Structures are given as C-alpha cells and as structure tokens.
Amino acid sequence: MIQRFESNGRYHNVIRYDKLLFLSGQTATEMGDDISSQSRAVLKKIENILRQHGSDKRHILHADVYLPKQDMVQPFNAVWDAWTEKGYEPTRACMVAALGRPQILVEIVVIAAIADT
C-alpha cells in the first residue's frame, strides 16, 4: 500500500511504500546563507521527518545531494561525515546543479527503510 504525506498540491514531502520511505528534496534556506549551517539544518530536518515516520538516520539507504557550486562539496562533506554513524553510511550521489532558488545551498533527497520494531 502506498501512503502519501504532506502534500502541497505539486508533490508529497514523504511517501511510504511497504517498509520504505521516500523523502522529497529537503532544504533549509531559513538557516542562513552558508553551506555548513544549511547542511546541518537539512540533516536535522531529515532526522525529524524520519523519526515521525518510524525510521532514523541509521536506516537511510540512499541519499542524493545537490549543491550549486563545486567548492561547496568539501564543507558539505565535513558536515555529512560528522553526522553519519560509522558503519551506517548510505549509498550516496553528490551533484553540482542549479537549484530552485539562489538561497538554497543544499538539497537532499533520501530513501530510507522503516526501522525494525
């Protein structure tokens, strides 16, 4: 069964299918204009969404990371490496691409498994 959550009329923020969660691209423009601050805020936002839907960062299977500039990859990776737990790193792609608004410095799309209870 497919369950959809938090629609804005264009997309759903979270879709659950069986024991998988699919999160739309998460951003945090309200958290400042530097890559490290936005990265920490987006990862915290992802953790909160996962918790609300029965998962956590240890159950992330894959993440797609979008950054607007190549020179943001290293500072993003520093935040990412501090956030992920050793042995629980997901598969990941990191792409440099134009994002939806100039204020967005990082966008992360996540697929996660529901945590075993």
Side-chain angles (χ1 to χ4, degrees), residues 16 19-21 50 53-56 58-59 112-117:
R16 179 177 177 168
K19 292 190 174 222
L20 294 176
L21 294 172
L50 292 174
H53 293 276
S55 190
D56 57 47
R58 286 183 168 194
H59 288 82
I114 300 295
D116 296 327
T117 53

Side-chain angles (χ1 to χ4, degrees), residues 95-112:
M95 293 144 282
V96 175
L99 301 179
R101 294 188 315 266
Q103 304 91 329
I104 299 172
L105 301 181
V106 59
E107 184 167 351
I108 304 174
V109 177
V110 166
I111 299 170

Side-chain angles (χ1 to χ4, degrees), residues 5-6 20 24 30 32 38 41-42 54 57 59 64 73-74 80 82-83 85-87 96 100 105 110 115:
F5 303 93
E6 303 172 38
L20 294 176
S24 292
E30 69 280 358
Q38 283 195 23
V42 170
K57 68 182 178 177
H59 288 82
D64 287 328
V73 173
Q74 190 282 327
W80 176 267
W83 180 75
E85 293 183 41
K86 201 71 168 158
V96 175
L105 301 181
V110 166

Side-chain angles (χ1 to χ4, degrees), residues 28-40:
T29 56
E30 69 280 358
M31 300 314 280
D33 58 359
D34 71 274
I35 185 62
S36 297
S37 296
Q38 283 195 23
S39 297
R40 283 189 294 275

Side-chain angles (χ1 to χ4, degrees), residues 42-87:
V42 170
L43 294 171
K44 183 173 180 58
K45 187 175 179 180
I46 288 169
E47 278 190 83
N48 290 337
I49 293 168
L50 292 174
R51 190 179 317 89
Q52 290 171 12
H53 293 276
S55 190
D56 57 47
K57 68 182 178 177
R58 286 183 168 194
H59 288 82
I60 295 174
L61 303 172
H62 180 79
D64 287 328
V65 178
Y66 299 90
L67 304 168
K69 298 179 185 173
Q70 183 66 39
D71 65 359
M72 294 180 174
V73 173
Q74 190 282 327
F76 173 80
N77 280 338
V79 173
W80 176 267
D81 292 345
W83 180 75
T84 56
E85 293 183 41
K86 201 71 168 158

Side-chain angles (χ1 to χ4, degrees), residues 1-28:
M1 170 158 58
I2 298 173
Q3 295 174 287
R4 293 172 168 81
F5 303 93
E6 303 172 38
S7 175
N8 72 0
R10 181 170 292 148
Y11 65 88
H12 286 80
N13 198 41
V14 180
I15 291 181
R16 179 177 177 168
Y17 177 71
D18 196 23
K19 292 190 174 222
L20 294 176
L21 294 172
F22 298 84
L23 278 61
S24 292
Q26 302 299 312
T27 64

